[in-house]
Amino acid sequence: MSVETYDVIVVGLGGVGSSAAYHLAKTGQRVLGLDLYHPPHVHGSSHGRTRVIRQAYFEHPSYVPLLKRAYRGWDEVERASGEIVFHRTGLIEVGPEDGVVIPGVRSSAKQYELPIEEFTMADAMQRYPGIAGPSDWRVIREVNAGYLDVERCVQTHLSLAENLGAALRYGEPMVSWETQPASVSVVTDRARYQAGSLVLAGGPWANEWLASHGIPLKILRKHLYWFQVTDQTYDEPAFPCYFFETPRGYFYGTPHDPGVGLKLARHSGGQVVESMQGQQHQPDEYDQQLCQDFISDCLPAASTTLSQWAGCYYTCTPDENFVVDTLPDSPQVTLVAGLSGHGFKFTSALGAVAAELVGRKVDRQAIDFLSVKRFLDPSP
Ligand SMILES: Cc1cc2nc3c(=O)[nH]c(=O)nc-3n(C[C@H](O)[C@H](O)[C@H](O)COP(=O)(O)OP(=O)(O)OC[C@H]3O[C@@H](n4cnc5c(N)ncnc54)[C@H](O)[C@@H]3O)c2cc1C
């Protein structure tokens, strides 16, 4: 078997890996990218037309600096490629005053001086006639939010990486990898590769690679829906992206996509998947019914008639924070994994951070909350 040598190998060229390949190629290193399929594709986590992007992060304010970097990253992608990937529609976040979302958005916005507007439910229903909800809910409009064209983001990062000289091999999965004191080798069904560094960006497949390193990842099957609409109520620019916290879970989506429908998904729930081997998505009647009930209750001008659905995977850590680090005993191996169903918006920054981890020039403090050590030594 032949041996080719590179400075760095990126395994997985989806949301994270496509960005990592671009940022590594920008540093002038000889980059090899490998993928099981030909991204963008429908088998992993980076498909389904759109991904919401927002900055006033209710999950945790520590993500905001990374999000600011991600926004700069998407600007760079658009400048470098001439493509539009980020649609700045704004986002309404809707829910109870004492819930998770409304206080969380307020807290991040205040700490980082992010522009938001607050409404009562009655005022919001005047401004956005397509929404409904209990009168004691609050609505926050996040001005700088919007959605990303998910497949175009992946494709554009890959094209930019290739233009900078990255060698990208599709349909060539990594079969095994091993570390030597200051290098790594990767074996595929075609060749053996040697490099100074390895970036593992396998999305839901990373579960199989990282379990033996003490990094617990749970894969969840999730469903996306597009519902028919009969008028322009949910068209952009008048209608923004939306995220609702309800007693039956979190529901979110993007404006009406002409010819496809109004996108809606349930962020909560999901079916546990033990292994990615031989997986195929099937409809989930329970989840679909919850989404149809949500339409009736909260987006009543839309129809509950489905026009399309798709399946996708979340790869979750126990605390739902990402893993962005090097392997403790092998600093030449960088991991970006466990994006826990909220990571696509970050990928323009995560690729840059991966390149910095490879170059050992990273601001560790900024990503300390995403480190591997929290799993290895969970005591406070
Ligand atoms: C339904 C749904 C809705 C979401 N909504 C949002 C949202 O609105 N906003 C947001 O920010 N995030 C959202 N997310 C999360 C986000 O999409 C994911 O976190 C992100 O796409 C994960 O990217 P990834 O690169 O880790 O995985 P992937 O894009 O799946 O990439 C992994 C790649 O690894 C490759 N691979 C696997 N095995 C091998 C191998 N052996 N050798 C080589 N390559 C291999 C695969 O082919 C794949 O291309 C959503 C996710 C889902 C499922």
Side-chain angles (χ1 to χ4, degrees):
M1 197 181 264
S2 65
V3 179
E4 290 179 34
T5 59
Y6 290 87
D7 294 320
V8 53
I9 301 172
V10 180
V11 178
L13 296 171
V16 171
S18 59
S19 171
Y22 165 57
H23 285 280
L24 285 160
K26 250 185 15 176
T27 65
Q29 300 188 74
R30 288 171 307 136
V31 178
L32 171 67
L34 296 171
D35 201 284
L36 169 61
Y37 295 106
H38 191 148
H41 60 72
V42 298
H43 308 287
S45 303
S46 300
H47 59 280
R49 303 177 78 91
T50 58
R51 288 292 184 271
V52 174
I53 175 164
R54 54 196 164 86
Q55 262 185 350
Y57 225 54
F58 68 81
E59 288 88 340
H60 204 289
S62 303
Y63 280 105
V64 177
L66 204 51
L67 280 162
K68 290 192 165 183
R69 193 165 182 193
Y71 272 55
R72 293 195 297 276
W74 295 120
D75 286 347
E76 177 183 327
V77 165
E78 291 188 339
R79 267 197 317 276
S81 66
E83 297 280 350
I84 304 289
V85 297
F86 184 176
H87 302 262
R88 293 166 194 266
T89 58
L91 163 77
I92 46 172
E93 287 164 299
V94 184
E97 183 72 55
D98 60 352
V100 172
V101 172
I102 295 294
V105 172
R106 266 193 207 126
S107 160
S108 279
K110 185 166 179 222
Q111 190 172 334
Y112 288 96
E113 298 180 353
L114 302 171
I116 57 170
E117 290 176 73
E118 286 219 29
F119 304 93
T120 61
M121 196 66 207
D123 287 346
M125 285 164 65
Q126 292 269 321
R127 177 158 175 172
Y128 305 106
I131 66 167
S135 59
D136 58 350
W137 279 3
R138 297 289 296 183
V139 178
I140 297 180
R141 174 171 174 263
E142 194 181 329
V143 178
N144 290 335
Y147 68 88
L148 297 162
D149 282 330
V150 56
E151 287 90 352
R152 188 172 296 166
C153 290
V154 173
Q155 182 57 65
T156 306
H157 266 138
L158 291 174
S159 301
L160 291 173
E162 213 156 23
N163 291 345
L164 290 168
L168 306 181
R169 309 256 163 95
Y170 301 115
E172 185 176 347
M174 174 176 79
V175 175
S176 65
W177 56 284
E178 62 185 40
T179 56
Q180 294 85 38
S183 62
V184 290
S185 50
V186 167
V187 175
T188 71
D189 53 358
R190 276 172 242 174
R192 183 182 179 89
Y193 301 102
Q194 193 79 26
S197 304
L198 172 65
V199 176
L200 293 176
W205 289 267
N207 184 31
E208 285 162 29
W209 309 337
L210 302 182
S212 61
H213 294 270
I215 300 167
L217 299 175
K218 180 168 76 177
I219 309 167
L220 292 178
R221 187 189 310 286
K222 303 290 297 176
H223 290 77
L224 297 162
Y225 306 96
W226 288 264
F227 289 96
Q228 290 179 13
V229 294
T230 49
D231 62 18
Q232 295 170 349
T233 307
Y234 300 106
D235 286 5
E236 53 182 292
F239 194 72
C241 297
Y242 59 92
F243 193 106
F244 281 65
E245 178 177 3
T246 80
R248 304 180 90 179
Y250 299 115
F251 295 84
Y252 67 96
T254 47
H256 174 219
D257 189 342
V260 190
L262 176 65
K263 182 171 173 180
L264 167 63
R266 190 166 68 104
H267 185 50
S268 324
Q271 305 160 342
V272 176
V273 171
E274 295 301 339
S275 157
M276 290 295 283
Q277 300 289 335
Q279 285 297 328
Q280 280 202 323
H281 295 299
Q282 303 293 335
D284 178 341
E285 283 175 23
Y286 172 71
D287 188 65
Q288 185 179 319
Q289 186 61 55
L290 285 176
C291 287
Q292 283 165 322
D293 293 346
F294 171 78
I295 293 241
S296 303
D297 294 342
C298 297
L299 301 173
S303 143
T304 54
T305 306
L306 201 59
S307 52
Q308 268 189 39
W309 70 273
C312 192
Y313 300 100
Y314 282 6
T315 310
C316 299
T317 63
D319 60 11
E320 297 187 0
N321 292 318
F322 315 153
V323 183
V324 183
D325 205 345
T326 49
L327 272 183
D329 52 355
S330 306
Q332 69 275 44
V333 180
T334 291
L335 319 172
V336 182
L339 301 196
S340 302
H342 61 110
F344 193 85
K345 62 182 84 59
F346 292 87
T347 53
S348 58
L350 293 176
V353 172
E356 289 167 358
L357 282 163
V358 167
R360 319 262 165 105
K361 289 184 191 140
V362 76
D363 173 5
R364 284 257 171 204
Q365 218 179 338
I367 53 167
D368 191 55
F369 72 116
L370 308 174
S371 71
V372 170
K373 70 175 187 286
R374 72 189 198 272
F375 306 114
L376 308 184
D377 177 17
S379 55

